[in-house]
Amino acid sequence: MDLLQNLAIGFSASLDPVNLLYCFLGVLLGTLIGVLPGIGPTATIAMLLPITFGLKPETSLIMLAGIYYGAQYGGSTTAILINLPGESSSAVTAIDGYQMARQGRAGPALAIAALGSFFAGTVATMLVAVFALPLTEMALQFGPAEYFSLIFLGLIASVALAHGSVLKALAMITLGLLFGLVGTDVTSGAQRFTLGIPDISDKLEFVSVAIGVFGLAEILRNLENESDRQVAIKKITHVWPTRDDFRQMVGPVLRGTGLGSALGILPGGGAILSSFAAYTVEKRISKTPEAFGKGAIAGVAAPEAANNAGAQTSFIPMLTLGIPANAVMALMVGAMIIQGIQPGPNVAIEQPQLFWGVITSMWIGNLMLVMLNLPLVGLWVRLLTIPYTVLFPAILVFCSIGVFSVNSNVFDLYTVAFFGLVGYVLIKLGCEPAPLLLGFVLGPMLEENLRRAMTISRGDWTVFFTRPLSATLLVIALLVLVLVFLPSIRAKREEVFQEEG
Amino acid sequence: MQIDTRELACGGLFVAFAAAFAYGTVDLPLGSALRMGPGYFPLMLAIILGVLGLVIIFKGLGRAPSPIGGVPWRGLLFILAGPIVFGLTVRGLGLAAAIALVAAIATLASARAGIRLMLLLTLSLTVFCVIVFSYGLGLPYALVGPWLAPFLPGR
């Protein structure tokens, strides 16, 4: 009963014409950047954060969320049509999707991807709605010790599930945590690491850091090998899948949805991991594994369902606990803070409009995407002919204006350049930038909860292990840490992420 | 002995960051575990970061260098200059001129853009951004700044 009531509140918010418009703009923009390789949802959301400043909180979050899951749809379109995944989460879709397109079945492949995504999105949205309240209530029982352990687990798990070197990811998180502490210490009022610069006496601007490491560093990475994109696709004749196609996609879509939903909730999970895991599972349980790589329907349906489900359920920890599971969610937390909302379990109680509005908007957004994606395929493909030479000056200009508009402070722009340089150098040295941003957002939270827990326990470190919930979380974190460093698991992990490269 | 230069540089960079942050905590009270001072947690993190950096270096010993790949020096220079130039000029020259400057500088970052593309892009981006940000979103910044005021007609 409660659920229905809450959904009603949600739909009244998400069906508001203004929110509907911004939801549409979000998914449209998401699809657009999903189609374009070289610019991802993280950079786009970072770029748009300042613009959402003037919007109502729920409107801005609805739009930003739309960009994230919209990008999953867009990425698969180009993966199928021209074997060029617009997003890394669609990389596996390209394997069988492009083969289907070459066999003249591009239309059904696109339809399978879209319908699978829509089904997964619907289920995942329902899951978010059902689990949001119980989790929120549980979170309200959390003390500082539990919060510390939970954030710790989140950080560790995000390392384990990310690709690349574990050591480097740990170092990136630690560095991010340190950068997050720059500015005034809330408890003592002391200035930390400000180098006497008054502009950062409060804190480093989150938007500048995000745009530096994701926007600028990403442009630089793309400038390394500028090349023209050759786009040649066959005309799409028929779109609707045959009855046989439908029969073949039911199982993979269901499994992909389940797997994606589960992996999305995990810290560090989300769309990318979900799609890879779903593809691997399908191939393993298939009666005809040899069909994979040659245009298997399951190879399109499962990862597409999984990446969309994962994208949706990764909102659960962010919405209920205020703890971001990946870089995009870190940006959403940033967007809430900009709006003056403290993310955490209180959001569901104090801002039901926002909380349920965002959840229900995801379903509406998914519906829009299905209707938008199939008829507009031709347009999206034509967009690919825009050369990068034209694209990145526009990105740089938008970034500059955007950063400046947050605080009207020119120093924030110098911060962007600094973090652009640091981010790019670290990328060149084999470090992924996402953990840094995650650490940056969580740094102050981690410290505050550590301090409060220690004060309550009178300086006794064992508090983290004597409180059962906190101990459980820490034990899981340690297990994860041990597991990633075990040689056999490490080899397996590298194998899984190998396909990504 | 072989050394993986990329790992060496990577670990070295983390150690350098750790040292800098640790040095930054010198003047901060550490406090005790019961009442942590502002220096306690950052120093802890700096030590962890330093250790991680050293382990990364250590693991790079005796391994063949990993490829780093080319660096787009020209792009690096102009892309990083973009926001800095915007910051230096947006107050003085105003929003319109600052946008035009960033757009022009950004096109220089690519070896492929000729002068015609540069002019075309600069012009269209400036017009687009002025319409969207200044008129559309109503950002409260002067389009023409004080440095340009003497050159305006009708004064």
Side-chain angles (χ1 to χ4, degrees), chain A residues 168 192 226 408 424 428 451, chain B residues 7 38 68 70 91 110 141:
Chain A
K168 286 179 180 174
R192 296 192 287 191
E226 279 185 273
S408 302
Y424 179 65
K428 287 301 272 184
R451 279 178 167 179
Chain B
E7 301 301 293
I68 291 189
R91 293 268 184 225
S110 164
Y141 309 120

Side-chain angles (χ1 to χ4, degrees), chain A residues 181-198:
Chain A
L181 300 179
V182 171
T184 305
D185 171 30
V186 196
T187 318
S188 67
Q191 297 268 306
R192 296 192 287 191
F193 317 114
T194 56
L195 309 171
I197 301 166

